[in-house]
Amino acid sequence: MSGAFLMDTYGERELRLVRGAGCRVWDAAGRRYLDALMGIAVCGVGHAHPAITAVLAAQAGQLVHASNLYRTAPQEALAEKLCAVAGMERAFFGNSGAEANEAAIKLSRLYARERGIERPVVLVAEGGFHGRTLAALSATSSARARAGFAPLFDGFVRVPFDDLAALERYGDDPAVVAVMLEPVQGEGGIRIPAAGYLRGVRALCDRCGWLLILDEVQTGNGRTGTHFAQAGAGVCADILTTAKGLGNGVPIGACLARGVAAGLFGPGSHGSTYGGNPLVCAVAGKVFDLIESEGLAARAAELGEWLRVRLAAELAGCEAVREVRGCGLMLAIEMRRDCGELVRRAAAAGLLINVTAGCCVRLLPALNMSAAEAEELVGTLCPVILHWAADVAENGEGDS
Ligand SMILES: Cc1ncc(COP(=O)(O)O)c(C=O)c1O
């Protein structure tokens, strides 16, 4: 077996994973790892959770797929749960975060048409990431992700993140129809806006008649300490997209909407063959129930704060570390230089982490990680970082 028949979109990958349980994964050689990444914020309730496995097996034995020509109970039940917790009225299901955002962007276009705006503009943020499909990529800021794909869609104007005045400058622009933001930027390096920023954006959107689209693909499903991060920020979007932790690993994305945005799609205006099939909706429904019944959002808030404080204490005085920050269980240790090398070093120490934005160690552990596992995470990661920092100081090694 080799990767030679796969397109080379992910670069070199050393680990071949075969099994997971809770916060642990095992590679093909039988080595065990503590997983502090969980499939990039996906497996929030842990790998191979018995309740998820049971639902998956039961639904697989009943009806995996029906197409959206038919109603299914798991889809309708999930839509109701998500709308209730997010303050929304209607859901559209796709298969990924990018598809959820495509749906949101298409809604913004329909909203523009209703208002007679021919060439609408959506304001997006520098450092924002919304996916790899062409419209989602057009809304994305990363030059690396965009490279080579011109012509991308116009109709997206990028402004600095966490800068309300930058958005207010467009207050008189009749072409603007929406603002699309992550409540906390994930791929951009766990950028947490100042308290009050999102409330200010909400008020601005209300004043200008713009839709507020919150991309909660990464922040959603308990990760930041509330079921959706918008609640923690004290706002309610017009359109909220989510994916990742929604399905704990089964491919599902959701675009939720309320008010005028909830009524824009009509029969035939959007669709997906697989989107929201009974298998993924049954699983996502169980994930939702676990997050709610086990208080996993509150647990993420508590454990995240504990980890942030512990990591900051252990790394205090380390010259290479610029900042330790976090919002629930979205944590970053920002270095003063690129640190991609830390991924390999951590794996060698039995820990899976990720580096994003070049210089940010990103931690996205399971919402139900135990205190002992959290202690192990700190105890494994900090020596790896300190060792790397010493090597960098000594001989300049350490760039990815
Ligand atoms: C905020 C955000 N939006 C959208 C996406 C795209 O999601 P997917 O990879 O499921 O298409 C991501 C993925 O990292 C994300 O973090």
Side-chain angles (χ1 to χ4, degrees), residues 96-99 101 129-132 182 187 215 217-218 243-244:
S96 65
E99 282 174 73
N101 286 331
F129 186 90
H130 301 291
R132 304 281 191 160
E182 294 157 83
E187 304 302 299
D215 177 344
V217 168
Q218 195 161 149
K244 288 191 181 277

Side-chain angles (χ1 to χ4, degrees), residues 65-372:
H65 177 78
S67 91
N68 285 302
L69 298 176
Y70 307 99
R71 296 173 59 179
T72 66
Q75 187 184 77
E76 292 179 3
L78 180 64
E80 191 174 340
K81 287 177 188 182
L82 289 173
C83 285
V85 83
M88 297 286 154
E89 292 162 27
R90 284 184 163 177
F92 173 84
F93 292 111
N95 309 286
S96 65
E99 282 174 73
N101 286 331
E102 289 287 326
I105 293 164
K106 287 179 82 172
L107 286 177
S108 78
R109 295 281 168 99
L110 293 178
Y111 181 65
R113 290 297 163 276
E114 278 206 344
R115 307 177 93 207
I117 298 168
E118 284 297 320
R119 301 198 62 80
V121 164
V122 177
L123 299 174
V124 293
E126 286 170 8
F129 186 90
H130 301 291
R132 304 281 191 160
T133 53
L134 278 175
L137 185 62
S138 304
T140 289
S141 141
S142 161
R144 192 163 167 235
R146 295 161 64 91
F149 296 111
L152 292 174
F153 294 110
D154 54 14
F156 295 97
V157 170
R158 207 155 284 114
V159 300
F161 185 57
D162 195 15
D163 183 344
L164 187 58
L167 289 169
E168 279 169 343
R169 264 174 229 124
Y170 289 86
D172 296 328
D173 187 333
V176 176
V177 292
V179 177
M180 181 171 182
L181 296 170
E182 294 157 83
V184 173
Q185 290 187 337
E187 304 302 299
I190 316 294
R191 303 276 160 205
I192 305 159
Y197 170 65
L198 285 175
R199 277 200 304 277
V201 177
R202 175 70 272 177
L204 179 64
C205 287
D206 288 341
R207 200 161 66 240
C208 299
W210 302 341
L211 297 174
L212 175 58
I213 303 172
L214 288 181
D215 177 344
E216 294 231 29
V217 168
Q218 195 161 149
T219 55
N221 310 292
R223 184 144 297 277
T224 66
T226 45
H227 202 112
F228 288 110
Q230 63 167 10
V235 299
C236 188
D238 300 293
I239 301 173
L240 183 151
T241 61
T242 192
K244 288 191 181 277
L246 178 62
N248 211 53
V250 297
I252 181 168
C255 173
L256 313 175
R258 71 180 172 110
V260 62
L264 291 168
F265 282 151
S269 60
H270 195 44
S272 164
T273 299
Y274 288 129
N277 80 22
L279 186 78
V280 298
C281 287
V283 171
K286 178 53 82 175
V287 173
F288 183 99
D289 292 346
L290 288 171
I291 293 170
E292 290 292 309
S293 66
E294 296 186 0
L296 293 183
R299 169 85 185 132
E302 184 193 3
L303 189 64
E305 184 57 12
W306 184 88
L307 276 169
R308 191 188 64 74
V309 169
R310 278 300 311 279
L311 290 165
E314 293 290 322
L315 297 170
C318 176
E319 196 33 46
V321 174
R322 189 189 298 275
E323 190 186 24
V324 178
R325 58 177 173 267
C327 182
L329 283 173
M330 279 179 92
L331 294 145
I333 304 163
E334 182 174 341
M335 303 298 170
R336 292 187 196 279
R337 59 179 293 163
D338 282 1
C339 62
E341 161 71 9
L342 280 169
V343 172
R344 197 187 52 74
R345 290 190 183 212
L351 176 68
L352 301 190
I353 60 163
N354 164 253
V355 167
T356 191
C359 59
C360 294
V361 172
R362 177 169 52 162
L363 305 175
L364 300 161
L367 310 183
N368 53 7
M369 176 181 245
S370 71

